[in-house]
Amino acid sequence: MTFVSLREIHCDEETDEVGDDEIYVLMSTVNLGAHVNVEGIPIPIPSFDVWRFGIFENFAEGDTKGQPFQPFWSAPLANPDQAIFVGSVIENDNGVPEQYQQLLRLVIPKSLASSVGEPLDLVRSKLVREINEALNGVDLPVPFALDDDHVGTQELRYESPELQRAAGDLVPKVLSYDGDGGRYRVTFDVSPDIFGVIRDRWIALGAGNSPVGRPVSGETPTFDGKGRFMDFSAGIISWHPETGAHGVWGDISGRWLQIGREQYGYPITDEFTSGNGRMNTFKAVHLQGKPEASIFWTPQTGAVEIFGAIHATWKSMGAGGSSIGGPVSPEQDAPGGRIQQFQNGKLFWNSANGQVSQA
């Protein structure tokens, strides 16, 4: 499955409207590979939709407005001739954006029907031209009266090498729109395919609205060849057959990467609240005994790792909700063993008897 989405829009110059602009983007999508089954026989009939992103308010020159991950294409796309994407940038004035979507839902099937049998390039160019004309008020069907200002319309087109590269990497593409006195740049992404248990975890976390963000790399083997991970814009989802798939993000993700990532341990939880902080728990499935460990975070302490016997004792006390709170620094050597400082005390591991006690 391939995801195509709008990442952000940047204002190089405001339109001629009084005050800051209010911009929205309409993405018209056509799936030329769609079909319906008639008595068990697949009959090719293109499907289409019109997506709206925004209204992005208070848009001034130099501003960039981000868009949460909401793909307008979520289907296989190995062949760029399989789809048509047409992006339109509109400045909201007194119109109703939903009416513009309704208008394009009339224009698109009419254009496609009138292009049957024509070469694909002509089908594409005709569709772009007729969307552009409709948004400029040419031959509007009753009862449409357009009150918003059309900045521009153009096709978002991908080539086969770009789609091939998207199997393992994020592929951005920028289109520039000039019109109504304004200039806007829109960044689109083709995101790597995401599937299996990593995809299931990503969806469970909220998909594009999850704390790990949008996929930015393909699925990759971990250091031991037994697990898999995938990079996202704000974190990682890591999987091992013994632990399942879990997300690591934010400062905890940063510390996990510093201390060895899956070699420190595969995540066995997503990030969760513990006491006055946040934490992930990990399991080093490649080490003898498969020990568990954690990384704990608060705004005051940052992300700190805790492992071994001290970790086991701390968890038995209630972890971040215990009387000693969370760790403020990593475990260190001390006479006779190891010691770790917590928010409200210390834990000491005695190397002679293996016992852990408060110091």
Side-chain angles (χ1 to χ4, degrees), residues 126-329:
K126 182 179 181 180
L127 179 61
V128 174
R129 183 181 72 252
E130 293 184 351
I131 288 175
N132 186 70
E133 290 174 348
L135 294 176
N136 285 333
V138 178
D139 295 329
L140 284 180
V142 177
F144 290 97
L146 304 184
D147 295 317
D148 288 344
D149 296 313
H150 179 212
V151 177
T153 287
Q154 59 181 298
E155 183 181 7
L156 171 67
R157 182 73 187 273
Y158 291 96
E159 303 298 333
S160 292
E162 293 173 307
L163 297 179
Q164 292 167 6
R165 185 157 56 91
D169 196 6
L170 186 72
V171 179
K173 196 158 205 170
V174 179
L175 295 184
S176 296
Y177 293 83
D178 299 342
D180 193 39
R183 290 187 295 113
Y184 281 87
R185 282 178 287 149
V186 183
T187 300
F188 300 92
D189 288 329
V190 178
S191 300
D193 191 4
I194 178 171
F195 49 87
V197 290
I198 289 181
R199 179 180 185 272
D200 293 343
R201 175 50 55 186
W202 179 60
I203 291 173
L205 288 171
N209 295 315
S210 74
V212 297
R214 65 184 73 198
V216 297
S217 79
E219 193 174 287
T220 305
T222 53
F223 77 100
D224 55 7
K226 297 180 180 179
R228 308 282 288 181
F229 73 90
M230 195 164 179
D231 291 325
F232 293 78
S233 57
I236 295 169
I237 295 180
S238 179
W239 169 86
H240 187 278
E242 293 187 31
T243 62
H246 298 282
V248 191
W249 57 85
D251 288 349
I252 290 178
S253 173
R255 185 58 182 163
W256 181 61
L257 293 174
Q258 287 178 343
I259 59 178
R261 50 181 308 158
E262 285 89 358
Q263 293 186 65
Y264 177 73
Y266 282 88
I268 58 175
T269 66
D270 302 313
E271 185 178 305
F272 63 95
T273 298
S274 179
N276 66 346
R278 303 280 292 174
M279 65 183 284
N280 272 77
T281 302
F282 304 85
K283 178 179 283 190
V285 297
H286 56 292
L287 298 181
Q288 184 177 0
K290 302 179 181 180
E292 290 188 10
S294 294
I295 299 177
F296 184 84
W297 173 90
T298 69
Q300 296 76 29
T301 64
V304 181
E305 65 272 22
I306 176 171
F307 51 86
I310 290 179
H311 173 262
T313 299
W314 177 67
K315 279 197 71 177
S316 71
M317 295 171 64
S322 68
S323 60
I324 63 171
V328 299
S329 61

